[in-house]
Amino acid sequence: MLRVSKIKLCFPLLTRRFASFKARKKSVIEKAAVDGELRVFIVAGEVSGDNIGSRLMCSLKKLSPLPLRFHGVGGSMMCKQGLTSLFPMEDLAVMGLWELLPHLYKFLYFLRLQVKLKETIDAAAMFKPHVVVTVDSKGFSFRLLKLLRARYNQQHLENSPVHFHYVAPSFWAWKGGESRLGGLSEFVDHLFCILPNEERVCREHGVEATFVGHPLLEDSSVRTCKPQESKLEGLSKYSLPSDSTVISVLPGSRLQEVERMLPIFSKAMKLLQDPFPNLLTLIHVASNCQVDHYIGKSLHRWPVPAILVPSGSNQLKYDAFGVSQAALCTSGTVAVELQLARLPSLVAYRAHFLTELFIRYKAKIPCISLPNILLDSPIIPEALFRACNPSNLALILERLLLDEEMREKQIVAAEKLARLLHPLESGMSSKLVHYSDLDSHRYTPSNLAASTILSYAKR
């Protein structure tokens, strides 16, 4: 049996925070020590979740004193960390419910989802994990955790796995969102929050939670990337003429959104040809084979010179950001990424008109991009719904390229955003100040999440 003193040495980040739990219950790692290994069942359904999941797996491998075995569902990045995915992660990706309403596909999708859900539950039961971790994709994740917990209860399991969910649901964005948090505690033992204030609200509604910081803080390239840094060297890497006007284009990570947004972006680029005759675009391709195929097929209709920036290399991505004067992106996590990279950006979003009506009715915040929400100011211009049309996008991008004051506002705001997303620099620092050996180069959101998992003792 693993001694508690050894665990304290392995996990200095959370020793004091969970000392009271250990006095009453055994931690995850102590229970796993009986089997001589730690079994983690982990599920992610989207590209961003694959990224978070892979980093968490890497941190668990670094911090765990026991050998680890992983099983579940994930993408290429999680597979590199040792996961053999039950089925392609893309099988779980879907846009809003309304996107499928006019078609028979709605029924077929939910039928397929039920099959995948049963397959995942059966695989988890066979694997006998000590820990189950779901990453984002709350529609599938919460159904999975709920049904797994029901199965444990039916079987009267005394040592059922501990359930963690990484990325709290966006309760702050929707009317009545906070009121739905209370039910989570029935099937989620602990939430990992990536935004400030989420932990406090979750705990107030009976859900154990830890603010670990935003996953993008892990990328050392984000912290070192400066606007226009080594631009000439970057241009030469991409073989770009020195007088080029370069725009990074990020149409999304899911096939449905790329199919909707890329044609609009294409027409906007065509309108920008007159004011910027040397316009060149760097199109960032998400780690999704369907998206990769669609963009490749669409490239012959793209109106200006374009270079595809493949996923998989953060250095390549941030080199592309470094040589760009502006970015046009579909709303999502990428808005934070671009802000932290100090690249002036425009956020765009279109959906099925029924989805848009639903969002207008249910949303309680005026902005859609996370930097604007956190900073409580429309620092990043947004073109949403019917305003997301080629002429409007071209007009805003032209201003963004030429208006130095507008550009500088975004760059300056990035410093404040970075502090808000870091638990040691936002209002959460008082919770962690007693960890004398926690310094900036050792802290990462994944390390904090992994330490929480390994030290966790279920109440």
Side-chain angles (χ1 to χ4, degrees), residues 194-246:
I194 67 172
L195 301 179
N197 298 321
E198 285 182 334
E199 176 183 330
R200 175 186 58 80
V201 176
C202 288
R203 288 180 177 274
E204 286 173 356
H205 287 80
V207 185
E208 287 190 50
T210 299
F211 173 41
V212 296
H214 201 284
L216 289 175
L217 295 173
E218 302 212 16
D219 197 336
S220 60
S221 300
V222 171
R223 292 193 290 272
T224 59
C225 186
K226 303 290 182 186
Q228 309 307 312
E229 186 178 73
S230 304
K231 184 177 176 185
L232 291 176
E233 181 186 343
L235 285 169
S236 103
K237 273 185 197 175
Y238 282 94
S239 303
L240 309 180
S242 58
D243 62 346
S244 297
T245 300
V246 184

Side-chain angles (χ1 to χ4, degrees), residues 384-456:
L384 311 177
F385 310 142
R386 300 300 147 192
C388 179
N389 57 69
S391 59
N392 197 33
L393 295 184
L395 192 67
I396 298 172
L397 281 170
E398 182 176 358
R399 186 183 164 206
L400 191 60
L401 287 164
L402 299 175
D403 188 333
E404 284 303 321
E405 184 180 350
M406 187 179 182
R407 296 170 60 79
E408 187 62 23
K409 273 185 180 178
Q410 287 199 39
I411 293 168
V412 170
E415 300 296 334
K416 185 177 179 182
L417 180 68
R419 289 194 297 272
L420 283 172
L421 295 175
H422 198 304
L424 301 183
E425 297 185 28
S426 67
M428 303 300 293
S429 57
S430 59
K431 286 191 170 190
L432 301 170
V433 72
H434 57 267
Y435 300 123
S436 58
D437 56 347
L438 183 61
D439 53 56
S440 59
H441 76 272
R442 289 187 60 190
Y443 161 79
T444 68
S446 290
N447 281 348
L448 185 51
S451 294
T452 305
I453 289 171
L454 297 168
S455 302
Y456 189 85

Side-chain angles (χ1 to χ4, degrees), residues 250-315:
L250 302 101
S253 61
R254 293 176 289 193
L255 180 60
Q256 283 178 298
E257 66 186 358
V258 174
E259 287 176 334
R260 190 177 298 277
M261 301 304 296
L262 197 65
I264 300 172
F265 289 179
S266 175
K267 290 171 185 174
M269 293 303 122
K270 187 172 183 179
L271 293 173
L272 281 171
Q273 279 182 302
D274 283 342
F276 303 100
N278 296 320
L279 181 63
L280 188 145
T281 50
L282 302 177
I283 304 176
H284 296 249
V285 184
S287 178
N288 180 323
C289 57
Q290 297 169 331
V291 168
D292 193 348
H293 177 71
Y294 177 81
I295 292 177
K297 199 172 60 173
S298 305
L299 203 59
H300 71 279
R301 295 191 297 271
W302 195 255
V304 298
I307 296 173
L308 297 185
V309 181
S311 63
S313 168
N314 280 324
Q315 191 56 57

Side-chain angles (χ1 to χ4, degrees), residues 161-175:
V162 183
H163 286 183
F164 294 89
H165 183 71
Y166 203 140
V167 184
S170 303
F171 57 84
W172 38 264
W174 307 101
K175 295 171 185 174

Side-chain angles (χ1 to χ4, degrees), residues 53-94:
S54 68
R55 287 171 166 170
L56 177 61
M57 290 167 70
C58 182
S59 290
L60 284 169
K61 288 193 289 187
K62 284 191 299 185
L63 294 175
S64 174
L66 293 174
L68 282 116
R69 270 206 296 146
F70 296 106
H71 196 33
V73 180
S76 59
M77 289 179 278
M78 288 169 65
C79 290
K80 285 177 185 174
Q81 292 297 328
L83 178 76
T84 302
S85 188
L86 287 169
F87 45 79
M89 181 184 70
E90 290 81 8
D91 286 0
L92 302 182
V94 69

